[in-house]
Amino acid sequence: IISQTLICYMTWAATLDYGRKTKNEDIRPGPLRPANIIRNKFPTYKNGSNGIVIKLADGPEVPPLKEVVAKETEELLDRRQRFSVRELAMKFEKGLNTATLLSKEVKWRQVALLERDILLKNLKSVLESLRGQVTGKTKDEIEESISMVEILAVQLSKREAELIQQKTEVTELAKSLKLASEDAKRIVEEERVNANTEVESARSAVQRVQEALQEHEKMSKRTGKQDMEELKKEVRVARRIKMLHCPSKAMDLENEIKTLRKTFTEKSVDCVNLLKELELHKRLKGNDIPVFDLEGLQCLGSMLHIVCQNGTPMDFSNISVQWFRIHPKESNKEIISGATRPAYAPEPNDVGRYMQAEINFGGETAIAKTAGLVDPDAGLVDYVETLVRKPETEFNVVVLQLNGIDQPKEAVHVLNVGRLRMRLSKGKTVVAKEFYSSSMQLCGVRGGGEAASQAMFWRPRSDLSFAVAFETARERNAAIMLARRFAIDCNIILAGPGDKTPW
């Protein structure tokens, strides 16, 4: 009877529902079940034959609560970096709920242990009272039962200490998880606030862009309407001009300038012819009939040709020619070195002087002289004064000769006339570049030819010389005058070969 009573007490204690639920209710969910833990930790007994209590073998051990919590915490920390802020907050909340459940389970298990302690004490007191009432074999069984109850009490006290330690650790873990969850919530809230701020700023930026686009569209429409009105107005004016056949003022001025130039050329030719007739009349009185004469305008930019007075063509291959410039006041004759052809193009140094050519044929010398002074090119001085204000000026030229050797006339070069130096280049390649010096020579080409009025001779140094052609005679004369003007500022006088200089 005593053995059966002891077994009933122990079985009831081992199978007690610590959650205080009825049998029909579902077992409370959670990672650990107190009944299973207690059943696996405490030995199970049964009543064998002859009243012997037999200890059953323990089932497979379940990991302790501390190891389970540590393992779950480690997994949570390992996967922390792979979650977003919101997911991390959800994981922390889940961990906090799990820790709370574990804490409640520890409390329930502690209550169960307290109830077992009371049951064991009651059982021990009952066995003590029965031991005094029985003798013999029954008394030995009661003493053995008392010793077993004492052993169970010792195991229960150890288990209670472990539970207290686990309770402390679970409480600390729950606190840390709670703090982490609060931090995660705070981070989520901050990110939400930042996201809302960025969204608002983006919306304001989009709104500003839309307003700017609308304003631009309005301005474009307004400008388009104004341009359309202006175009219509211009079209109406153009139609009116076309209907009235009225040329513009620019065209009137251009036509007037052309007419004036033509008239000036005709008057110049008439004046030259009158001067020639007057000179011829004087020579006829002195029995000095000229054989040759100079044909061409006596102005800068023109060409002077030696022709026979009677109009018959002459072969100048066996005739030597030399050109001179004569000062109108001093009447001294200055030889023009290299000018030995039947044609000569006056250069800026010849302006305001007479041009004279001496022709030697058959042992006799004939003279052909201009009837008047060489006139300057109209507007050239003002054009050069405008170029002087610039630090440098570029001219497109073609190299005719290099050191006296003819060159192909396909490539276009750039002649740069600066305040301190002159440079000739072809694309990015510099052909020649020299500062103004006393060894530099510059003048018009004196070898004759159809393009002599547009050609210039330039010798940068003693071992290098060029003959270049400009686009117009005006540009050629402007380049010569500009270079000489800059050279004078450097106390250098640029002249041609054999020309006399003041120093």
Side-chain angles (χ1 to χ4, degrees), residues 261-279 296-298 371-372 375:
R261 285 180 178 177
K262 185 177 180 181
T263 304
F264 176 75
T265 303
E266 293 176 355
K267 296 297 182 182
S268 298
V269 173
D270 294 340
C271 183
V272 169
N273 292 331
L274 289 174
L275 291 174
K276 287 181 179 180
E277 290 179 0
L278 181 60
E279 185 69 21
L297 293 177
Q298 300 176 6
D375 296 326

Side-chain angles (χ1 to χ4, degrees), residues 307-364:
V307 296
C308 289
Q309 186 67 35
N310 54 11
T312 59
M314 284 288 296
D315 184 12
F316 290 92
S317 60
N318 297 323
I319 299 175
S320 62
V321 178
Q322 180 62 56
W323 290 84
F324 298 87
R325 62 173 67 96
I326 301 175
H327 197 278
K329 294 182 179 180
E330 299 176 358
S331 299
N332 55 346
K333 188 169 57 175
E334 180 184 349
I335 188 172
I336 302 175
S337 179
T340 58
R341 296 293 181 88
Y344 177 75
E347 63 163 280
N349 277 350
D350 299 328
V351 175
R353 298 183 181 184
Y354 293 101
M355 302 305 300
Q356 178 177 308
E358 292 185 358
I359 304 99
N360 294 323
F361 65 99
E364 297 181 1

Side-chain angles (χ1 to χ4, degrees), residues 138-303:
T138 304
K139 185 176 181 180
D140 294 336
E141 292 178 353
I142 290 175
E143 290 178 354
E144 185 179 358
S145 300
I146 292 173
S147 63
M148 292 173 63
V149 169
E150 291 177 353
I151 292 171
L152 289 174
V154 173
Q155 293 181 356
L156 183 61
S157 62
K158 292 181 179 180
R159 183 61 179 167
E160 184 178 0
E162 293 178 358
L163 287 175
I164 292 172
Q165 184 179 358
Q166 291 180 1
K167 178 182 178 183
T168 304
E169 295 177 355
V170 169
T171 303
E172 294 178 355
L173 180 62
K175 290 181 180 179
S176 62
L177 289 175
K178 185 176 180 181
L179 292 175
S181 179
E182 292 177 355
D183 293 340
K185 290 180 179 178
R186 180 176 54 80
I187 293 172
V188 170
E189 189 64 27
E190 291 177 356
E191 293 293 333
R192 184 182 293 109
V193 172
N194 294 334
N196 291 333
T197 304
E198 292 179 359
V199 170
E200 292 297 329
S201 62
R203 287 177 179 174
S204 61
V206 170
Q207 186 176 0
R208 289 196 299 270
V209 171
Q210 290 179 351
E211 292 176 355
L213 288 175
Q214 293 177 358
E215 185 68 21
H216 180 68
E217 289 179 357
K218 291 180 181 178
M219 290 293 294
S220 299
K221 291 180 180 179
R222 193 180 303 114
T223 306
K225 291 181 179 179
Q226 292 178 357
D227 294 341
M228 185 62 66
E229 293 296 330
E230 293 178 357
L231 288 174
K232 290 181 179 179
K233 185 177 180 181
E234 291 179 359
V235 169
R236 286 195 295 267
V237 173
R239 287 179 178 176
R240 180 174 175 273
I241 293 174
K242 185 177 180 180
M243 290 175 64
L244 297 176
H245 297 282
C246 179
S248 63
K249 293 183 179 180
M251 293 177 65
D252 291 341
L253 291 175
E254 185 177 356
N255 293 331
E256 186 176 355
I257 290 172
K258 288 181 180 180
T259 304
L260 289 174
R261 285 180 178 177
K262 185 177 180 181
T263 304
F264 176 75
T265 303
E266 293 176 355
K267 296 297 182 182
S268 298
V269 173
D270 294 340
C271 183
V272 169
N273 292 331
L274 289 174
L275 291 174
K276 287 181 179 180
E277 290 179 0
L278 181 60
E279 185 69 21
L280 179 60
H281 185 69
K282 289 181 180 180
R283 288 186 177 184
L284 288 175
K285 287 183 178 181
N287 295 322
D288 185 13
I289 301 174
V291 181
F292 297 96
D293 194 8
L294 297 181
E295 185 181 51
L297 293 177
Q298 300 176 6
C299 64
L300 190 63
S302 64
M303 287 285 292

Side-chain angles (χ1 to χ4, degrees), residues 2-73:
I2 294 172
S3 299
Q4 293 178 356
T5 304
L6 179 60
I7 291 169
C8 289
Y9 270 101
M10 294 175 66
T11 304
W12 178 79
T15 59
L16 183 63
D17 186 2
Y18 298 101
R20 294 297 185 267
K21 295 179 182 286
T22 61
K23 293 182 179 181
N24 294 329
E25 293 178 346
D26 296 334
I27 299 175
R28 175 178 44 81
L32 299 174
R33 302 184 187 278
N36 293 335
I37 292 176
I38 296 171
R39 184 178 291 114
N40 290 324
K41 287 295 180 180
F42 293 97
T44 305
Y45 300 88
K46 75 173 183 178
N47 190 12
S49 59
N50 299 324
I52 298 174
V53 178
I54 301 174
K55 179 181 178 181
L56 299 177
D58 294 336
E61 294 185 358
V62 177
L65 179 62
K66 180 179 178 181
E67 294 180 1
V68 174
V69 173
K71 184 177 180 180
E72 291 183 357
T73 304

Side-chain angles (χ1 to χ4, degrees), residues 38 66 81 98 114 123 165 184 263 274 382 426 458:
I38 296 171
K66 180 179 178 181
Q81 300 297 332
T98 303
L114 292 175
L123 179 60
Q165 184 179 358
T263 304
L274 289 174
D382 295 335
K426 178 183 177 182
W458 177 45

